C-alpha cells in the first residue's frame, strides 16, 4: 500500500523562492506542494480550501512581520506550521513560536533540512532545528514581550515625538502620564530580563535591533 503524500503549503513574499521550494519539494517522493503563494490573504484562502498537512510560512512579508499572524490563524484552524525565515533577529522567531509554529527552518539551511522538518512535524508534531536555528530559538526565548500599547508608544518616541504629544497621536488618544507608564513598563521588562538598559533611548535602540518595529498592524501576539 502506497503511503499518503504529505501535503505542503508555502508562503513567501519572494516569487523565485516560492517557485524554487515548490520545485525542490515536489522532487521528494513523499511530499506534494498543494499551495504556493506570495500573498498572505491568497494563501489563507487557498489553504482553507485545500487543507494541507503542513504550512511553511515566511515571517517577514513585504517588509512587515506578519508571518506570525498567519501561523496564529492556521494553528487555530488545525494546520501545523513551520516558521521559515532569513531573519535571525529574536522578535520574529519569538512571535512565530508563541503563535504556534512547530519549528524553525532558516533560509540559509540546506533544502533537505526543510524536508526533514516537514516530515518530523507530520510524524511527531515538532521539528528538529539546525545548529544555527537552535541558537536563534534560544535567543528568542529571552526576549521580553511588549504589549501593543507599549510598542505603539515606543514607535512614536523613536520618531522623535515628545512624550507629551505621543498620546495625542494614538487611537484612541491617551494621556501623557499613561504614555510614561507604558514607556516605563517597556524599560522595566528589559531591565528585569537582564538587559543593560539605562534609559528610554537604550530601550528604543534595543527594540529596533531585535525587530519589534517591523511588527505589522495589530502589534504583538
Amino acid at each position: 500500500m502506497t503511503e499518503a503524500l504529505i501535503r505542503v503549503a508555502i508562503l513567501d513574499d519572494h516569487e523565485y523562492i516560492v517557485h524554487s521550494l515548490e520545485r525542490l519539494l515536489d522532487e521528494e517522493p513523499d511530499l506534494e506542494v498543494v499551495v504556493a503563494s506570495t500573498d498572505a490573504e491568497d494563501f489563507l484562502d487557498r489553504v482553507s480550501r485545500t487543507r494541507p498537512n503542513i504550512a511553511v510560512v515566511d515571517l517577514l512579508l513585504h517588509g512587515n512581520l506578519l508571518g506570525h499572524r498567519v501561523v496564529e490563524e492556521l494553528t487555530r484552524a488545525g494546520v501545523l506550521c513551520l516558521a521559515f525565515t532569513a531573519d535571525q533577529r529574536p522578535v520574529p522567531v519569538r512571535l512565530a513560536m508563541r503563535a504556534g509554529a512547530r519549528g524553525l527552518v532558516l533560509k540559509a539551511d540546506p533544502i533537505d533540512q526543510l524536508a526533514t522538518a516537514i516530515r518530523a512535524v507530520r510524524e511527531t508534531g515538532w521539528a528538529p532545528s539546525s545548529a544555527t536555528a537552535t541558537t536563534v530559538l534560544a535567543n528568542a526565548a529571552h526576549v521580553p514581550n511588549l504589549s501593543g500599547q507599549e510598542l505603539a508608544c515606543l514607535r512614536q518616541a523613536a520618531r522623535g515625538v515628545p512624550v507629551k504629544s505621543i498620546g495625542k497621536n494614538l487611537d484612541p488618544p491617551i494621556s501623557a502620564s499613561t504614555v510614561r507608564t507604558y514607556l516605563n513598563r517597556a524599560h522595566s521588562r528589559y531591565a528585569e530580563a537582564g538587559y543593560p538598559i539605562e534609559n528610554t533611548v537604550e530601550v528604543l535602540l534595543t527594540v529596533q535591533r531585535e525587530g519589534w518595529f517591523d511588527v505589522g498592524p495589530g502589534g504583538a501576539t
Side-chain angles (χ1 to χ4, degrees), residues 21-111:
L21 291 180
E22 185 176 18
R23 176 177 56 81
L24 291 168
L25 291 179
D26 272 341
E27 291 178 357
E28 299 290 329
D30 58 337
L31 305 181
E32 178 187 19
V33 177
V34 295
V35 176
S37 180
T38 61
D39 178 80
E41 186 175 347
D42 169 71
F43 179 78
L44 289 169
D45 176 64
R46 292 169 63 188
V47 166
S48 69
R49 290 186 279 111
T50 57
R51 303 298 298 175
N53 304 119
I54 311 291
V56 177
V57 181
D58 189 9
L59 301 184
L60 188 63
L61 298 169
H62 306 289
N64 285 318
L65 290 181
L66 297 174
H68 66 287
R69 295 292 180 190
V70 175
V71 171
E72 185 176 47
E73 186 163 341
L74 293 181
T75 298
R76 284 198 300 266
V79 179
L80 300 174
C81 297
L82 275 171
F84 183 63
T85 185
D87 196 335
Q88 296 187 26
R89 294 175 299 172
V91 166
V93 175
R94 177 181 174 83
L95 294 178
M97 301 311 291
R98 291 185 71 238
R102 299 305 185 98
L104 171 68
V105 178
L106 300 175
K107 292 185 181 181
D109 290 334
I111 187 63

Side-chain angles (χ1 to χ4, degrees), residues 1 6 13 24 47 77 83 95 111 126 176 187 193 195 215:
M1 180 177 179
I6 301 173
D13 62 352
L24 291 168
V47 166
L95 294 178
I111 187 63
W126 296 95
H187 183 285
Y195 284 67
V215 177

